[in-house]
mmCIF file with all atom_site columns, all heavy atoms in Angstrom:
data_model
loop_
_atom_site.group_PDB
_atom_site.id
_atom_site.type_symbol
_atom_site.label_atom_id
_atom_site.label_alt_id
_atom_site.label_comp_id
_atom_site.label_asym_id
_atom_site.label_entity_id
_atom_site.label_seq_id
_atom_site.pdbx_PDB_ins_code
_atom_site.Cartn_x
_atom_site.Cartn_y
_atom_site.Cartn_z
_atom_site.occupancy
_atom_site.B_iso_or_equiv
_atom_site.pdbx_formal_charge
_atom_site.auth_seq_id
_atom_site.auth_comp_id
_atom_site.auth_asym_id
_atom_site.auth_atom_id
_atom_site.pdbx_PDB_model_num
ATOM 1   N N   . TYR A 1 53  ? 74.345 61.987 -31.712 1.00 88.00 ? 53  TYR A N   1
ATOM 2   C CA  . TYR A 1 53  ? 74.995 63.282 -31.918 1.00 88.00 ? 53  TYR A CA  1
ATOM 3   C C   . TYR A 1 53  ? 75.636 63.306 -33.303 1.00 88.00 ? 53  TYR A C   1
ATOM 4   O O   . TYR A 1 53  ? 76.305 62.358 -33.713 1.00 88.00 ? 53  TYR A O   1
ATOM 5   C CB  . TYR A 1 53  ? 76.055 63.530 -30.846 1.00 88.00 ? 53  TYR A CB  1
ATOM 6   C CG  . TYR A 1 53  ? 76.928 64.737 -31.105 1.00 88.00 ? 53  TYR A CG  1
ATOM 7   C CD1 . TYR A 1 53  ? 76.471 66.016 -30.845 1.00 88.00 ? 53  TYR A CD1 1
ATOM 8   C CD2 . TYR A 1 53  ? 78.221 64.571 -31.613 1.00 88.00 ? 53  TYR A CD2 1
ATOM 9   C CE1 . TYR A 1 53  ? 77.283 67.121 -31.081 1.00 88.00 ? 53  TYR A CE1 1
ATOM 10  C CE2 . TYR A 1 53  ? 79.036 65.661 -31.850 1.00 88.00 ? 53  TYR A CE2 1
ATOM 11  C CZ  . TYR A 1 53  ? 78.547 66.938 -31.582 1.00 88.00 ? 53  TYR A CZ  1
ATOM 12  O OH  . TYR A 1 53  ? 79.353 68.029 -31.837 1.00 88.00 ? 53  TYR A OH  1
ATOM 13  N N   . VAL A 1 54  ? 75.423 64.381 -34.040 1.00 84.00 ? 54  VAL A N   1
ATOM 14  C CA  . VAL A 1 54  ? 75.961 64.520 -35.389 1.00 84.00 ? 54  VAL A CA  1
ATOM 15  C C   . VAL A 1 54  ? 77.064 65.576 -35.385 1.00 84.00 ? 54  VAL A C   1
ATOM 16  O O   . VAL A 1 54  ? 76.884 66.681 -34.855 1.00 84.00 ? 54  VAL A O   1
ATOM 17  C CB  . VAL A 1 54  ? 74.859 64.929 -36.385 1.00 84.00 ? 54  VAL A CB  1
ATOM 18  C CG1 . VAL A 1 54  ? 75.440 65.161 -37.774 1.00 84.00 ? 54  VAL A CG1 1
ATOM 19  C CG2 . VAL A 1 54  ? 73.782 63.864 -36.434 1.00 84.00 ? 54  VAL A CG2 1
ATOM 20  N N   . ASN A 1 55  ? 78.206 65.217 -35.986 1.00 78.00 ? 55  ASN A N   1
ATOM 21  C CA  . ASN A 1 55  ? 79.332 66.134 -36.117 1.00 78.00 ? 55  ASN A CA  1
ATOM 22  C C   . ASN A 1 55  ? 79.623 66.330 -37.602 1.00 78.00 ? 55  ASN A C   1
ATOM 23  O O   . ASN A 1 55  ? 79.476 65.408 -38.397 1.00 78.00 ? 55  ASN A O   1
ATOM 24  C CB  . ASN A 1 55  ? 80.570 65.571 -35.401 1.00 78.00 ? 55  ASN A CB  1
ATOM 25  C CG  . ASN A 1 55  ? 81.659 66.628 -35.234 1.00 78.00 ? 55  ASN A CG  1
ATOM 26  O OD1 . ASN A 1 55  ? 81.519 67.765 -35.678 1.00 78.00 ? 55  ASN A OD1 1
ATOM 27  N ND2 . ASN A 1 55  ? 82.745 66.235 -34.588 1.00 78.00 ? 55  ASN A ND2 1
ATOM 28  N N   . ASN A 1 56  ? 80.007 67.529 -37.967 1.00 71.00 ? 56  ASN A N   1
ATOM 29  C CA  . ASN A 1 56  ? 80.269 67.806 -39.385 1.00 71.00 ? 56  ASN A CA  1
ATOM 30  C C   . ASN A 1 56  ? 81.709 67.515 -39.778 1.00 71.00 ? 56  ASN A C   1
ATOM 31  O O   . ASN A 1 56  ? 82.207 68.054 -40.761 1.00 71.00 ? 56  ASN A O   1
ATOM 32  C CB  . ASN A 1 56  ? 79.931 69.262 -39.709 1.00 71.00 ? 56  ASN A CB  1
ATOM 33  C CG  . ASN A 1 56  ? 80.823 70.246 -38.979 1.00 71.00 ? 56  ASN A CG  1
ATOM 34  O OD1 . ASN A 1 56  ? 81.277 69.965 -37.875 1.00 71.00 ? 56  ASN A OD1 1
ATOM 35  N ND2 . ASN A 1 56  ? 81.076 71.395 -39.583 1.00 71.00 ? 56  ASN A ND2 1
ATOM 36  N N   . ALA A 1 57  ? 82.371 66.662 -39.002 1.00 59.00 ? 57  ALA A N   1
ATOM 37  C CA  . ALA A 1 57  ? 83.747 66.262 -39.321 1.00 59.00 ? 57  ALA A CA  1
ATOM 38  C C   . ALA A 1 57  ? 83.936 64.819 -38.904 1.00 59.00 ? 57  ALA A C   1
ATOM 39  O O   . ALA A 1 57  ? 83.239 64.313 -38.015 1.00 59.00 ? 57  ALA A O   1
ATOM 40  C CB  . ALA A 1 57  ? 84.756 67.153 -38.595 1.00 59.00 ? 57  ALA A CB  1
ATOM 41  N N   . PRO A 1 58  ? 84.869 64.082 -39.521 1.00 53.00 ? 58  PRO A N   1
ATOM 42  C CA  . PRO A 1 58  ? 85.130 62.696 -39.128 1.00 53.00 ? 58  PRO A CA  1
ATOM 43  C C   . PRO A 1 58  ? 85.557 62.606 -37.671 1.00 53.00 ? 58  PRO A C   1
ATOM 44  O O   . PRO A 1 58  ? 86.137 63.545 -37.110 1.00 53.00 ? 58  PRO A O   1
ATOM 45  C CB  . PRO A 1 58  ? 86.259 62.265 -40.077 1.00 53.00 ? 58  PRO A CB  1
ATOM 46  C CG  . PRO A 1 58  ? 86.156 63.201 -41.246 1.00 53.00 ? 58  PRO A CG  1
ATOM 47  C CD  . PRO A 1 58  ? 85.681 64.502 -40.670 1.00 53.00 ? 58  PRO A CD  1
ATOM 48  N N   . GLN A 1 61  ? 89.274 63.189 -36.769 1.00 48.00 ? 61  GLN A N   1
ATOM 49  C CA  . GLN A 1 61  ? 89.843 64.519 -36.961 1.00 48.00 ? 61  GLN A CA  1
ATOM 50  C C   . GLN A 1 61  ? 89.548 65.393 -35.753 1.00 48.00 ? 61  GLN A C   1
ATOM 51  O O   . GLN A 1 61  ? 88.411 65.499 -35.304 1.00 48.00 ? 61  GLN A O   1
ATOM 52  C CB  . GLN A 1 61  ? 89.260 65.162 -38.224 1.00 48.00 ? 61  GLN A CB  1
ATOM 53  C CG  . GLN A 1 61  ? 89.824 66.541 -38.512 1.00 48.00 ? 61  GLN A CG  1
ATOM 54  C CD  . GLN A 1 61  ? 89.238 67.126 -39.780 1.00 48.00 ? 61  GLN A CD  1
ATOM 55  O OE1 . GLN A 1 61  ? 88.488 66.470 -40.488 1.00 48.00 ? 61  GLN A OE1 1
ATOM 56  N NE2 . GLN A 1 61  ? 89.576 68.365 -40.060 1.00 48.00 ? 61  GLN A NE2 1
ATOM 57  N N   . ILE A 1 63  ? 89.050 68.847 -34.267 1.00 47.00 ? 63  ILE A N   1
ATOM 58  C CA  . ILE A 1 63  ? 88.673 70.152 -34.790 1.00 47.00 ? 63  ILE A CA  1
ATOM 59  C C   . ILE A 1 63  ? 88.384 71.104 -33.652 1.00 47.00 ? 63  ILE A C   1
ATOM 60  O O   . ILE A 1 63  ? 88.130 70.703 -32.511 1.00 47.00 ? 63  ILE A O   1
ATOM 61  C CB  . ILE A 1 63  ? 87.433 70.041 -35.707 1.00 47.00 ? 63  ILE A CB  1
ATOM 62  C CG1 . ILE A 1 63  ? 86.235 69.557 -34.874 1.00 47.00 ? 63  ILE A CG1 1
ATOM 63  C CG2 . ILE A 1 63  ? 87.684 69.112 -36.884 1.00 47.00 ? 63  ILE A CG2 1
ATOM 64  C CD1 . ILE A 1 63  ? 84.940 69.610 -35.617 1.00 47.00 ? 63  ILE A CD1 1
ATOM 65  N N   . SER A 1 69  ? 80.772 75.574 -36.938 1.00 63.00 ? 69  SER A N   1
ATOM 66  C CA  . SER A 1 69  ? 80.728 74.117 -36.986 1.00 63.00 ? 69  SER A CA  1
ATOM 67  C C   . SER A 1 69  ? 79.452 73.583 -36.337 1.00 63.00 ? 69  SER A C   1
ATOM 68  O O   . SER A 1 69  ? 78.874 72.593 -36.805 1.00 63.00 ? 69  SER A O   1
ATOM 69  C CB  . SER A 1 69  ? 81.954 73.525 -36.288 1.00 63.00 ? 69  SER A CB  1
ATOM 70  O OG  . SER A 1 69  ? 81.987 73.880 -34.920 1.00 63.00 ? 69  SER A OG  1
ATOM 71  N N   . ALA A 1 73  ? 76.554 71.446 -38.200 1.00 69.00 ? 73  ALA A N   1
ATOM 72  C CA  . ALA A 1 73  ? 76.076 70.162 -37.685 1.00 69.00 ? 73  ALA A CA  1
ATOM 73  C C   . ALA A 1 73  ? 74.559 70.152 -37.546 1.00 69.00 ? 73  ALA A C   1
ATOM 74  O O   . ALA A 1 73  ? 73.901 69.145 -37.822 1.00 69.00 ? 73  ALA A O   1
ATOM 75  C CB  . ALA A 1 73  ? 76.735 69.868 -36.336 1.00 69.00 ? 73  ALA A CB  1
ATOM 76  N N   . LEU A 1 76  ? 73.161 69.601 -40.787 1.00 80.00 ? 76  LEU A N   1
ATOM 77  C CA  . LEU A 1 76  ? 73.429 68.233 -41.200 1.00 80.00 ? 76  LEU A CA  1
ATOM 78  C C   . LEU A 1 76  ? 72.422 67.262 -40.591 1.00 80.00 ? 76  LEU A C   1
ATOM 79  O O   . LEU A 1 76  ? 72.103 66.225 -41.183 1.00 80.00 ? 76  LEU A O   1
ATOM 80  C CB  . LEU A 1 76  ? 74.855 67.847 -40.806 1.00 80.00 ? 76  LEU A CB  1
ATOM 81  C CG  . LEU A 1 76  ? 75.453 66.603 -41.462 1.00 80.00 ? 76  LEU A CG  1
ATOM 82  C CD1 . LEU A 1 76  ? 75.500 66.754 -42.969 1.00 80.00 ? 76  LEU A CD1 1
ATOM 83  C CD2 . LEU A 1 76  ? 76.847 66.346 -40.903 1.00 80.00 ? 76  LEU A CD2 1
ATOM 84  N N   . TYR A 1 80  ? 70.299 63.955 -42.140 1.00 86.00 ? 80  TYR A N   1
ATOM 85  C CA  . TYR A 1 80  ? 70.234 62.629 -41.519 1.00 86.00 ? 80  TYR A CA  1
ATOM 86  C C   . TYR A 1 80  ? 68.777 62.203 -41.295 1.00 86.00 ? 80  TYR A C   1
ATOM 87  O O   . TYR A 1 80  ? 68.429 61.030 -41.518 1.00 86.00 ? 80  TYR A O   1
ATOM 88  C CB  . TYR A 1 80  ? 70.984 62.635 -40.188 1.00 86.00 ? 80  TYR A CB  1
ATOM 89  C CG  . TYR A 1 80  ? 72.445 62.276 -40.306 1.00 86.00 ? 80  TYR A CG  1
ATOM 90  C CD1 . TYR A 1 80  ? 73.406 63.237 -40.595 1.00 86.00 ? 80  TYR A CD1 1
ATOM 91  C CD2 . TYR A 1 80  ? 72.866 60.967 -40.135 1.00 86.00 ? 80  TYR A CD2 1
ATOM 92  C CE1 . TYR A 1 80  ? 74.748 62.912 -40.704 1.00 86.00 ? 80  TYR A CE1 1
ATOM 93  C CE2 . TYR A 1 80  ? 74.215 60.624 -40.230 1.00 86.00 ? 80  TYR A CE2 1
ATOM 94  C CZ  . TYR A 1 80  ? 75.142 61.604 -40.523 1.00 86.00 ? 80  TYR A CZ  1
ATOM 95  O OH  . TYR A 1 80  ? 76.468 61.266 -40.640 1.00 86.00 ? 80  TYR A OH  1
ATOM 96  N N   . GLU A 1 119 ? 72.291 69.733 -32.578 1.00 82.00 ? 119 GLU A N   1
ATOM 97  C CA  . GLU A 1 119 ? 72.964 68.762 -33.426 1.00 82.00 ? 119 GLU A CA  1
ATOM 98  C C   . GLU A 1 119 ? 72.743 67.324 -32.946 1.00 82.00 ? 119 GLU A C   1
ATOM 99  O O   . GLU A 1 119 ? 73.445 66.404 -33.367 1.00 82.00 ? 119 GLU A O   1
ATOM 100 C CB  . GLU A 1 119 ? 74.458 69.065 -33.512 1.00 82.00 ? 119 GLU A CB  1
ATOM 101 C CG  . GLU A 1 119 ? 75.194 69.078 -32.186 1.00 82.00 ? 119 GLU A CG  1
ATOM 102 C CD  . GLU A 1 119 ? 75.185 70.454 -31.527 1.00 82.00 ? 119 GLU A CD  1
ATOM 103 O OE1 . GLU A 1 119 ? 74.218 71.217 -31.724 1.00 82.00 ? 119 GLU A OE1 1
ATOM 104 O OE2 . GLU A 1 119 ? 76.150 70.763 -30.810 1.00 82.00 ? 119 GLU A OE2 1
ATOM 105 N N   . GLY A 1 154 ? 82.827 63.574 -44.704 1.00 68.00 ? 154 GLY A N   1
ATOM 106 C CA  . GLY A 1 154 ? 83.215 64.616 -43.758 1.00 68.00 ? 154 GLY A CA  1
ATOM 107 C C   . GLY A 1 154 ? 82.263 64.787 -42.613 1.00 68.00 ? 154 GLY A C   1
ATOM 108 O O   . GLY A 1 154 ? 82.180 65.853 -42.003 1.00 68.00 ? 154 GLY A O   1
ATOM 109 N N   . SER A 1 155 ? 81.497 63.736 -42.268 1.00 73.00 ? 155 SER A N   1
ATOM 110 C CA  . SER A 1 155 ? 80.571 63.799 -41.130 1.00 73.00 ? 155 SER A CA  1
ATOM 111 C C   . SER A 1 155 ? 80.724 62.542 -40.292 1.00 73.00 ? 155 SER A C   1
ATOM 112 O O   . SER A 1 155 ? 81.198 61.510 -40.773 1.00 73.00 ? 155 SER A O   1
ATOM 113 C CB  . SER A 1 155 ? 79.120 63.934 -41.611 1.00 73.00 ? 155 SER A CB  1
ATOM 114 O OG  . SER A 1 155 ? 78.738 62.782 -42.340 1.00 73.00 ? 155 SER A OG  1
ATOM 115 N N   . SER A 1 156 ? 80.297 62.620 -39.071 1.00 78.00 ? 156 SER A N   1
ATOM 116 C CA  . SER A 1 156 ? 80.388 61.474 -38.166 1.00 78.00 ? 156 SER A CA  1
ATOM 117 C C   . SER A 1 156 ? 79.276 61.573 -37.131 1.00 78.00 ? 156 SER A C   1
ATOM 118 O O   . SER A 1 156 ? 78.653 62.627 -36.954 1.00 78.00 ? 156 SER A O   1
ATOM 119 C CB  . SER A 1 156 ? 81.749 61.434 -37.456 1.00 78.00 ? 156 SER A CB  1
ATOM 120 O OG  . SER A 1 156 ? 81.926 62.601 -36.664 1.00 78.00 ? 156 SER A OG  1
ATOM 121 N N   . THR A 1 157 ? 79.003 60.467 -36.459 1.00 83.00 ? 157 THR A N   1
ATOM 122 C CA  . THR A 1 157 ? 77.951 60.419 -35.447 1.00 83.00 ? 157 THR A CA  1
ATOM 123 C C   . THR A 1 157 ? 78.435 59.659 -34.223 1.00 83.00 ? 157 THR A C   1
ATOM 124 O O   . THR A 1 157 ? 79.341 58.815 -34.314 1.00 83.00 ? 157 THR A O   1
ATOM 125 C CB  . THR A 1 157 ? 76.683 59.729 -35.985 1.00 83.00 ? 157 THR A CB  1
ATOM 126 O OG1 . THR A 1 157 ? 77.017 58.401 -36.388 1.00 83.00 ? 157 THR A OG1 1
ATOM 127 C CG2 . THR A 1 157 ? 76.091 60.499 -37.160 1.00 83.00 ? 157 THR A CG2 1
#
Side-chain angles (χ1 to χ4, degrees):
Y53 171 78
V54 176
N55 193 358
N56 65 329
Q61 181 179 355
I63 64 171
S69 62
L76 196 60
Y80 270 86
E119 58 271 30
S155 64
S156 62
T157 59

